[in-house]
Amino acid sequence: MDFTLTPEQLEIKDLAMKFAKNEMMPRAHEFDEKATMPMDILKKAWELGLVNTCIPSEYGGNSFSAIDSMIITEALAYGCMGMNTAIMANDLALLPIVIGGTDEQKKRFLTPFTESYKIAAFCLTEPANGSDAGGIKTLIKEDGDDLIISGNKMWITNAGYADLFVLYGTTDPTLKHKGITAVVIEKGTPGIELGKKEDKMGHRCSDTRAVTFNNVRIPKKNMLGGLNQGWKIAMKTLDHSRPMVAASAVGGATCAYDHSVKYAKERIQFNVPISSHQAIQFMIAEMALKIEAARLLVHKAAWLLDNHQPNTLLASYAKAFAADSCMQITTDAVQIYGGYGYSKEYPVEKLMRDAKLIQVYEGTSQIQRLVIAKEIFTR
Amino acid sequence: MNIFVCVKQVPDTETKIIPTADGSFIETNSIKWIMNPYDEYAVEQALLVQAANAGSTVTVLRVGSSKDTEALRTAMAMGADEAYLVEAQDNLDSYMIAKALKGAIAKSGKTPDLILSGKQAIDDDCLQVPQILATMLNMPSVSVVVNYEGSATDITVKREVEGGALEIYGVKLPALIACNKGINTPRYASLPGIMKAKKKPLTTLSLTDVGVSDADKRVKYSNFQLPPEKPPGKKFDATDAAKMASVVKEVVGLLRTEAKVL
């Protein structure tokens, strides 16, 4: 057992935290208000190597370990959970290519992402299918050397800016998860129709839209892992992405915690700083212990991945616990700030709004518990 | 050009400083170390000069404990080519540090064309090492530099003086330039840079290797202690005119007897 980070990992963490504090935090409120993508910040993050951490070095990436990418994600989410979503969505979309793509596909699709800042969007959820991902209805039909895609996708992060869409569809909805097929669709392919930008509660700077695919024709060489082979790729993607989302919850929670500790020392009530009151101390102690526990779960889920061991159970533990903790911690941060916490003049109400999404996307907290229960009762 | 940069590792500005029980130094175990912020400007300037003069090398030097090599690793991750660490306690005096740096430059086998440093370290704020080192090497030095322009042989630098005025100096290299905030914007060490830095050479030398011994000690630190706590301010009640005269009298009296400013 070893809980220490390597000197390189400490440096990676320092850089990512420095970037989060100097570049992201000072402008988090501004982009939350404007609800636009902070393109200059995202591009700067890409220049420093903080984006697309999943790309292997053979294709121009940095071959980061899963632990490395958790460290980066946690730090970036500390800076702004919304901006981190725009960054993390790239990994979510590129992971299916890393996992299920051929060498040729990886060269064709991944390498351009290492040469300039490009944006990818992951398209799984549909208007009528969120948690029930096996029930998706977007059709993928064979037509000679091509595939024709038709259907509606919903809540697609980065959609308005995407250079690449990685889409899950089905060759036959009655086959359920056995018909799921993954494809890559490049921007500008005729038939892609973007919906309006969603006006969201949190993560407001990230671009979320519905996307309609009207008989979009792509070559078969854009299919990942063959017809009806998509479910396996999707499940493996989740093993990577769920710990990442959990890491972002740890980052957001740590930000709320740091604000709370600072404020509790400054705010005087009954002639003493409120940090002297046990009611406040207990809330802050609860925050600290939950953050530590959540981080350990994230790191264990990542460690299993790095050591090529099954991590589905740990990924769900981490995702559920970190997301629920983040919600509790950011809510308590608002409580500690009192009336000021409810005002947009102070930073914590945004954290509370941002935290909520982490319990919802990438498998709700309830779906994580279903996964956990399934692991318990079918083993 | 052979460009050298002297860096110091200092406690993070958010670190709580605690003197050791015997007062000989500060507790170093709990400290998070960072590169002295003024030295970041020096590293950045070295990299800018290197980029403008093809074939130049940037060598980073540091005197201090080897427990944490944060500052040197950061400098190499930013782009410096190699590093020398002279292993020593973190509380040597300015003269010993300057002599050790001179020795490290000699050990590198390269003749310096330009030496860059921060104008001061934010921990002990001595502001002496750059000038002592330049004197030892018999080269000109300019400190508090906020602007740097020039070739591989002649440069023009601007230094800040009291009142915000600038002094402009033409300098023939080799010279030592000590940088102030404003000279440039230090780059971040990128992630690929951090990975590459692992493979760059870091040579460790002892004080003996660089010809420094206890006989070089010029300053003996007798006691480290925290500054005394500020007493709370005093409030005077002068809400109505009737009290005013007596309050004024009291304040003037205290300024005379306690604050001793009148």
Side-chain angles (χ1 to χ4, degrees):
Chain A
M1 288 289 275
D2 188 355
F3 290 104
T4 52
L5 300 180
T6 65
E8 290 75 37
Q9 285 169 339
L10 286 172
E11 272 182 89
I12 290 170
K13 185 180 160 190
D14 276 354
L15 165 66
M17 278 304 279
K18 210 169 163 185
F19 186 81
K21 286 183 174 172
N22 296 344
E23 311 287 335
M24 299 169 82
M25 274 180 105
R27 298 179 69 193
H29 177 74
E30 172 197 338
F31 283 99
D32 180 62
E33 285 280 299
K34 288 200 299 197
T36 54
M37 285 268 272
M39 292 305 286
D40 57 332
I41 297 175
L42 300 177
K43 190 155 180 290
K44 208 165 181 182
W46 176 84
E47 281 164 6
L48 292 173
L50 295 166
V51 184
N52 307 329
T53 54
C54 69
I55 301 181
S57 53
E58 302 94 282
Y59 307 103
N62 286 314
S63 282
F64 285 120
S65 70
I67 300 254
D68 295 341
S69 60
M70 298 309 142
I71 293 166
I72 293 168
T73 300
E74 183 187 325
L76 297 183
Y78 184 102
C80 175
M81 284 182 259
M83 293 184 200
N84 178 64
T85 284
I87 292 171
M88 193 166 57
N90 257 32
D91 270 311
L92 179 58
L94 298 181
L95 272 166
I97 304 173
V98 174
I99 291 164
T102 62
D103 181 56
E104 183 275 329
Q105 287 173 326
K106 288 177 190 174
K107 271 187 197 134
R108 187 151 51 96
F109 296 129
L110 298 179
T111 305
F113 277 74
T114 68
E115 290 163 350
S116 65
Y117 177 51
K118 287 183 179 296
I119 296 176
F122 176 82
C123 310
L124 175 64
T125 301
E126 297 180 354
N129 287 84
S131 293
D132 182 11
I136 53 172
K137 294 180 182 64
T138 296
L139 264 185
I140 298 182
K141 273 193 306 191
E142 281 185 279
D143 185 33
D145 287 338
D146 292 342
L147 296 171
I148 296 171
I149 297 134
S150 49
N152 299 307
K153 292 293 179 182
M154 193 73 192
W155 313 122
I156 305 308
T157 306
N158 284 350
Y161 293 81
D163 297 286
L164 213 63
F165 297 87
V166 173
L167 175 139
Y168 287 90
T170 177
T171 54
D172 177 357
T174 62
L175 289 176
K176 288 285 185 181
H177 56 271
K178 285 176 184 155
I180 305 291
T181 303
V183 295
V184 181
I185 305 166
E186 282 164 284
K187 171 178 147 182
T189 311
I192 304 173
E193 192 187 311
L194 297 177
K196 67 164 180 51
K197 185 182 191 298
E198 299 290 345
D199 188 6
K200 307 192 298 291
M201 172 183 179
H203 297 236
R204 290 176 53 77
C205 73
S206 84
D207 188 274
T208 313
R209 293 168 196 263
V211 186
T212 305
F213 295 86
N214 300 310
N215 295 315
V216 172
R217 182 180 284 272
I218 57 162
K220 271 188 181 163
K221 62 175 186 172
N222 281 17
M223 182 167 54
L224 301 171
L227 273 184
N228 302 336
Q229 299 301 309
W231 189 253
K232 255 187 290 175
I233 298 173
M235 292 302 104
K236 275 194 186 167
T237 301
L238 293 177
D239 291 344
H240 281 75
S241 59
R242 282 182 174 157
M244 261 181 116
V245 174
S248 77
V250 177
T254 308
C255 182
Y257 164 82
D258 283 352
H259 280 306
S260 301
V261 171
K262 189 165 171 276
Y263 187 77
K265 287 182 190 165
E266 287 167 1
R267 172 76 171 168
I268 311 281
Q269 288 293 280
F270 306 104
N271 298 322
V272 289
I274 59 170
S275 60
S276 305
H277 301 309
Q278 203 175 50
I280 302 293
Q281 289 176 355
F282 275 24
M283 274 195 271
I284 287 180
E286 192 75 19
M287 289 180 178
L289 71 87
K290 281 193 167 143
I291 288 168
E292 185 68 14
R295 187 181 289 122
L296 288 174
L297 283 174
V298 169
H299 285 192
K300 186 169 180 194
W303 182 88
L304 288 168
L305 261 184
D306 284 337
N307 288 280
H308 312 289
Q309 293 179 39
N311 79 331
T312 306
L313 184 60
L314 256 296
S316 283
Y317 284 167
K319 167 69 170 67
F321 186 77
D324 293 350
S325 298
C326 183
M327 193 67 246
Q328 182 67 52
I329 289 164
T330 52
T331 306
D332 284 348
V334 172
Q335 192 69 20
I336 289 167
Y337 270 69
Y340 294 101
Y342 206 64
S343 162
K344 289 199 175 187
E345 296 273 311
Y346 288 79
V348 286
E349 62 81 32
K350 172 183 179 290
L351 301 179
M352 186 177 165
R353 286 186 284 112
D354 285 348
K356 188 65 212 172
L357 182 56
I358 305 184
Q359 286 183 306
V360 174
Y361 69 4
E362 205 61 9
T364 62
S365 290
Q366 290 68 35
I367 286 292
Q368 305 308 329
R369 284 167 174 83
L370 274 184
V371 172
I372 294 163
K374 195 176 156 207
E375 291 273 332
I376 293 168
F377 290 111
T378 57
R379 242 186 312 186
Chain B
M1 287 174 78
N2 294 329
I3 308 164
F4 286 84
V5 190
C6 310
V7 301
K8 188 176 187 185
Q9 203 162 274
V10 297
D12 189 356
T13 44
E14 284 169 24
T15 300
K16 199 173 169 198
I17 302 294
I18 308 162
T20 53
D22 64 357
S24 64
F25 194 41
I26 53 168
E27 291 288 355
T28 53
N29 281 332
S30 55
I31 286 177
K32 177 174 161 30
W33 298 98
I34 57 165
M35 189 197 299
N36 176 40
Y38 291 110
D39 299 345
E40 286 189 29
Y41 299 110
V43 174
E44 177 64 33
Q45 197 56 43
L47 296 171
L48 292 174
V49 174
Q50 181 189 36
N53 296 278
S56 302
T57 57
V58 175
T59 308
V60 205
L61 312 168
R62 182 187 146 233
V63 182
S65 81
S66 61
K67 221 176 69 185
D68 195 331
T69 50
E70 177 70 28
L72 291 179
R73 279 207 313 268
T74 303
M76 289 198 285
M78 286 170 76
D81 299 297
E82 59 170 333
Y84 285 85
L85 168 68
V86 181
E87 227 180 324
Q89 291 169 302
D90 279 308
N91 60 348
L92 295 191
D93 66 37
S94 304
Y95 182 86
M96 289 176 91
I97 292 174
K99 194 172 176 190
L101 289 169
K102 182 191 168 202
I105 292 171
K107 280 277 173 190
S108 78
K110 287 188 272 198
T111 314
D113 296 304
L114 172 66
I115 302 175
L116 290 153
S117 73
K119 64 163 178 162
Q120 74 192 85
I122 61 159
D123 52 358
D124 57 20
D125 283 322
C126 285
L127 297 102
Q128 298 189 114
V129 171
Q131 292 80 355
I132 299 174
L133 175 60
T135 306
M136 285 174 171
L137 292 168
N138 199 25
M139 60 169 66
S141 74
V142 187
S143 189
V144 204
V145 169
V146 292
N147 190 276
Y148 181 111
E149 281 169 5
S151 68
T153 52
D154 296 271
I155 59 170
T156 305
V157 294
K158 293 179 185 160
R159 74 182 293 266
E160 231 170 39
V161 290
E162 294 289 317
L166 294 175
E167 287 179 352
I168 302 172
Y169 288 82
V171 185
K172 281 222 176 301
L173 297 182
L176 189 151
I177 303 298
C179 308
N180 193 17
K181 187 180 177 176
I183 190 170
N184 55 42
T185 309
R187 67 196 69 187
Y188 289 100
S190 73
L191 291 183
I194 289 171
M195 299 302 179
K196 268 187 223 154
K198 279 195 282 190
K199 294 182 196 117
K200 292 181 177 176
L202 194 166
T203 310
T204 305
L205 303 166
S206 68
L207 282 174
T208 320
D209 292 336
V210 293
V212 177
S213 69
D214 266 356
D216 293 307
K217 192 179 270 183
R218 296 292 190 270
V219 176
K220 185 173 174 286
Y221 295 113
S222 57
N223 193 11
F224 278 80
Q225 58 186 44
L226 292 174
E229 262 190 55
K230 254 192 178 167
K234 211 171 222 167
K235 270 188 191 167
F236 300 93
D237 182 12
T239 42
D240 62 75
K243 288 181 187 157
M244 193 58 94
S246 66
V247 165
V248 168
K249 203 174 167 195
E250 193 190 350
V251 171
V252 171
L254 286 171
L255 287 173
R256 257 197 202 113
T257 56
E258 273 191 24
K260 294 188 173 113
V261 291
L262 293 180

